[in-house]
Amino acid sequence: VNNLKLDKSRTTESISVKWSSVVGATSYKIYVKNNTQGTSFTRTSTSASAVIDGLTTANSYTIKVRAIRNGYYGDYSAALTAHTVPTKVTGLKTSARTTSTVTLSWDKKVGASGYKIYLYYPSKNQTQLVGTVNGQNTTSFKISNRKQGVVYYYKVAAFVRDSGIGDRIGYLSSYISKTAKPNTQKIT
């Protein structure tokens, strides 16, 4: 089997793949290894694509496919490695703020390669990337150049990084709104 690649989208519990069909093949055997947990299983498909479901969130999987014709098995394809998507980030809050900065923190997502931090514009339902942190254990981010009295909205998403494929961003958190800390003056 040749040209094994991702097809459509990945979810928190599935990976879709496709490959070039083999003339005369009656079915295809799909080998799936969970690299995170060290387990494996096989599935069978009668077409040159498959949705592999029942997977674990934010885990790394290696997938190989081989054709079956009249009970004979062909060689496996080159392996494809990809992650399932992380679930939505939870626990987003402000952990510190000054007159010009806001520090956000959130709950750790096991299996995440890191997190993307976004400014959120509710009136347009749009986001703007303002930062990236690498590693599942880095669960805070300081945003500078905030103006006093301006309400800013933020969202965070976990991502997984696949070699040769790039980052796959999970679902955005609920938003949080915060202003920079007001400048307090003492009256004497």
Side-chain angles (χ1 to χ4, degrees):
V1 169
N2 293 315
N3 301 316
L4 175 63
K5 56 186 167 183
L6 292 174
D7 184 26
K8 301 177 187 167
S9 66
R10 291 177 269 173
T11 71
T12 57
E13 297 177 350
S14 70
I15 298 173
S16 299
V17 292
K18 64 181 178 180
W19 55 89
S20 298
S21 60
V22 175
V23 176
T26 52
S27 62
Y28 299 90
K29 183 67 75 175
I30 305 162
Y31 170 82
V32 181
K33 179 182 179 189
N34 182 320
N35 301 313
T36 308
Q37 299 179 11
T39 58
S40 63
F41 61 91
T42 60
R43 297 259 172 97
T44 302
S45 176
T46 56
S47 67
S49 65
V51 176
I52 304 164
D53 56 7
L55 304 179
T56 304
T57 299
N59 277 212
S60 170
Y61 290 89
T62 296
I63 302 164
K64 299 187 287 187
V65 178
R66 63 181 176 174
I68 304 171
R69 182 173 30 187
N70 300 325
Y72 294 98
Y73 290 82
D75 292 333
Y76 271 114
S77 65
L80 169 73
T81 301
H83 285 81
T84 46
V85 178
T87 56
K88 183 190 232 183
V89 167
T90 56
L92 179 60
K93 64 185 177 193
T94 304
S95 55
R97 60 187 183 134
T98 69
T99 56
S100 63
T101 66
V102 173
T103 301
L104 304 174
S105 63
W106 53 88
D107 297 337
K108 174 177 140 179
K109 281 289 168 195
V110 175
S113 299
Y115 305 90
K116 305 268 185 188
I117 298 86
Y118 298 90
L119 265 175
Y120 173 59
Y121 303 97
S123 62
K124 299 176 184 177
N125 196 26
Q126 294 179 340
T127 56
Q128 175 188 351
L129 182 67
V130 294
T132 301
V133 292
N134 292 306
Q136 70 179 0
N137 295 322
T138 305
T139 57
S140 66
F141 186 77
K142 185 178 190 175
I143 304 167
S144 301
N145 301 318
R146 303 295 86 184
K147 295 180 182 173
Q148 292 178 24
V150 176
V151 177
Y152 295 94
Y153 299 86
Y154 305 99
K155 288 188 173 199
V156 175
F159 70 88
V160 288
R161 181 167 288 147
D162 292 317
S163 179
I165 300 171
D167 294 349
R168 177 59 170 97
I169 300 167
Y171 300 98
L172 287 166
S173 67
S174 299
Y175 72 84
I176 184 174
S177 62
K178 263 312 168 201
T179 61
K181 192 173 184 178
N183 190 5
T184 55
Q185 298 179 348
K186 286 186 177 180
I187 300 174
T188 56

